[in-house]
């Protein structure tokens, strides 16, 4: 591979085009296999009760993810207040689902936070760190579920997938350790965990918040599957849900679309349902991912406006009251005439 070709392959434009190509190819293959009917069925399964439940799950997941970001940012010295983090996280999720690439919302969040702290490098590290922490916890949960509950399918396919994911994790970890910079960061992190008890508590909180996020996403997949008519045992449904979430996190997608639908079609067919219902469930998951964060995005945009408007009204009323105050203090009466001072320094009657 020539140097020019290597630069093209490593460029952001090439990676963006590659994501579009892979996602489009996956969706085209699914449509060719099952037709457009399952996609329409997933869209028509969006009912008010399903939407309300998805909005509640999205709120819990966003609040937990924002708390995770708050903890990581505080550890890096670029703290972001939790209420503000929730609003920014809602906005980043919405941008991730509607813009190509699936990460532009996180980039915007990092840039916005970096401007407010004047430390853009640390702000970017905080966003990357909290996302990596979430992905690692999701991977651990996925491997555990596949190894434990995958046997319910009466074969070795899903446990084998869990084993493959475990091997991939070990290989990626070993590759990361070959980097001198990564070794320095890990050494510093281990040293801090040994010497600072607060770091251990923060790490436990980050892991707990990540578990809450994954649990809410799994519940959303289960909710979508039930809405489209999937009826499976809880252990089978849990296994399929973590597989679909794992596919949605594959970098070669557009807002989650592409591999998620293809993997869902295969997994649901293998898991005792049908490929069509798997595609319908994945479609509804994608729709819910966008619609369920819209109320949070609107609230995050409107609350600061309401606060500023209220502050302006209060300031205007205060200024109006001050303008109506008399410019001079009211007199209490004419002062008594000064009498002659006698020899003791006292006036008569004093």
């Amino acid at each position: 591979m020539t140097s020019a070709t290597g630069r093209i392959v490593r460029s952001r434009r090439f990676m963006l085009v590659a994501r579009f190509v892979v996602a489009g190819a996956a969706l085209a293959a699914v449509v060719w296999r099952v037709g457009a009917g399952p996609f329409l069925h997933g869209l028509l399964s969006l009912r008010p009760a399903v939407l309300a439940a998805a909005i509640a799950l999205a709120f819990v997941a966003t609040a937990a993810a924002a708390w995770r970001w708050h903890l990581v940012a505080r550890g890096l010295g670029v703290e972001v207040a939790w209420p503000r983090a929730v609003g920014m996280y809602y906005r980043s999720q919405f941008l991730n689902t509607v813009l190509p690439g699936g990460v532009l919302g996180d980039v915007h969040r990092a840039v916005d936070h970096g401007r407010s702290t004047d430390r853009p490098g640390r702000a970017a590290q905080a966003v990357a760190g909290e996302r990596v922490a979430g992905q690692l916890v999701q991977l651990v949960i996925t491997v555990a579920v596949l190894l434990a509950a995958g046997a319910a399918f009466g074969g070795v396919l899903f446990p084998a997938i869990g084993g493959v994911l475990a091997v991939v994790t070990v290989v990626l970890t070993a590759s990361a350790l070959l980097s001198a910079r990564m070794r320095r960061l890990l050494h510093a992190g281990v040293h801090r965990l040994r010497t600072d008890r607060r770091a251990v508590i923060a790490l436990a909180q980050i892991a707990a918040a990540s578990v809450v996020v994954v649990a809410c996403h799994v519940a959303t997949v289960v909710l979508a599957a039930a809405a489209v008519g999937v009826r499976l045992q809880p252990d089978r449904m849990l296994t399929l849900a973590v597989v679909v979430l794992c596919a949605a996190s594959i970098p070669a997608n557009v807002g989650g679309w592409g591999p998620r639908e293809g993997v869902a079609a295969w997994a649901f067919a293998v898991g005792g349902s049908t490929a069509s219902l798997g595609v319908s469930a994945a479609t509804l998951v994608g729709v819910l991912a966008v619609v369920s964060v819209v109320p949070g995005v609107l609230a995050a945009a409107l609350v600061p406006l309401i606060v500023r408007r209220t502050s302006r009204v209060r300031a205007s009323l205060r200024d109006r009251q001050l303008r109506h105050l008399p410019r001079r203090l009211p007199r209490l009466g004419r002062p008594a005439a000064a009498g002659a001072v006698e020899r003791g320094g006292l006036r008569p009657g004093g």
Side-chain angles (χ1 to χ4, degrees):
M1 181 182 292
T2 64
S3 59
T5 305
R7 286 195 300 269
I8 294 175
V9 172
R10 291 190 296 268
S11 66
R12 293 182 178 179
R13 181 174 298 180
F14 176 83
M15 296 302 297
L16 183 61
V17 172
R19 286 194 179 99
F20 270 109
V21 171
V22 173
L27 287 175
V30 172
V31 173
W32 176 79
R33 177 67 178 82
V34 301
F39 293 93
L40 182 60
H41 176 58
L43 293 174
L44 296 178
S45 300
L46 181 61
R47 301 182 182 88
V50 175
L51 179 59
I55 290 174
L57 290 171
F59 172 75
V60 176
T62 304
W67 179 251
R68 179 179 65 200
W69 179 32
H70 163 77
L71 293 172
V72 175
R74 185 175 64 184
L76 292 175
V78 285
E79 184 171 356
V80 55
W82 186 33
R84 180 169 179 259
V86 172
M88 296 174 69
Y89 218 102
Y90 261 117
R91 183 177 57 191
S92 69
Q93 288 180 111
F94 179 77
L95 294 177
N96 282 342
T97 55
V98 299
L99 294 179
V103 296
L104 294 180
D106 296 318
V107 173
H108 183 270
R109 175 159 55 98
V111 171
D112 194 8
H113 185 209
R115 288 174 179 172
S116 63
T117 59
D118 293 329
R119 303 179 72 180
R122 286 294 181 90
Q125 290 178 11
V127 172
E130 71 89 9
R131 287 305 303 269
V132 170
Q135 292 294 330
L136 287 177
V137 171
Q138 178 180 337
L139 183 60
V140 171
I141 293 176
T142 301
V143 172
V145 170
L146 289 176
L147 292 176
F153 291 89
V156 296
L157 182 59
F158 280 96
I161 295 176
V164 170
L165 290 175
V167 172
V168 170
T169 303
V170 172
V171 171
L172 292 178
T173 303
S175 301
L177 291 177
L178 296 176
S179 169
R181 181 180 180 184
M182 182 60 67
R183 288 198 301 269
R184 287 195 300 269
L185 291 175
L186 290 175
H187 179 74
V190 171
H191 176 72
R192 185 176 179 186
L193 289 175
R194 290 179 176 176
T195 57
D196 190 355
R197 183 185 176 188
R198 291 176 299 179
V200 178
I201 297 175
L203 185 62
Q205 291 176 333
I206 290 170
S210 300
V211 171
V212 172
V213 173
V214 175
C216 291
H217 291 165
V218 168
T220 302
V221 176
V222 174
L223 175 69
V228 300
V230 176
R231 299 293 181 265
L232 291 173
Q233 294 87 350
D235 53 352
R236 286 176 174 257
M237 194 62 251
L238 175 62
T239 307
L240 295 177
V242 297
V243 169
V244 171
L245 288 178
C246 188
S249 62
I250 295 175
N253 65 71
V254 178
W257 295 87
R260 179 183 59 207
E261 286 68 33
V263 171
W266 166 80
F268 276 75
V270 173
S273 184
T274 64
S276 297
L277 286 179
V279 174
S280 298
T283 301
L284 185 55
V285 169
V287 174
L288 292 176
V290 179
V291 180
S292 62
V293 299
V294 171
V297 174
L298 295 177
L302 291 178
V303 168
L305 295 177
I306 295 174
V307 171
R308 285 197 295 267
R309 180 64 61 86
T310 303
S311 301
R312 290 176 183 173
V313 171
R314 289 178 179 176
S316 177
L317 291 175
R318 185 170 58 251
D319 294 342
R320 192 178 305 170
Q321 292 172 353
L322 291 175
R323 283 197 300 268
H324 285 81
L325 287 177
R327 295 185 179 180
R328 296 180 180 178
L329 294 175
R331 292 185 177 182
L332 299 178
R334 293 186 62 185
V341 179
E342 295 187 353
R343 256 182 212 184
L346 297 175
R347 297 186 179 90

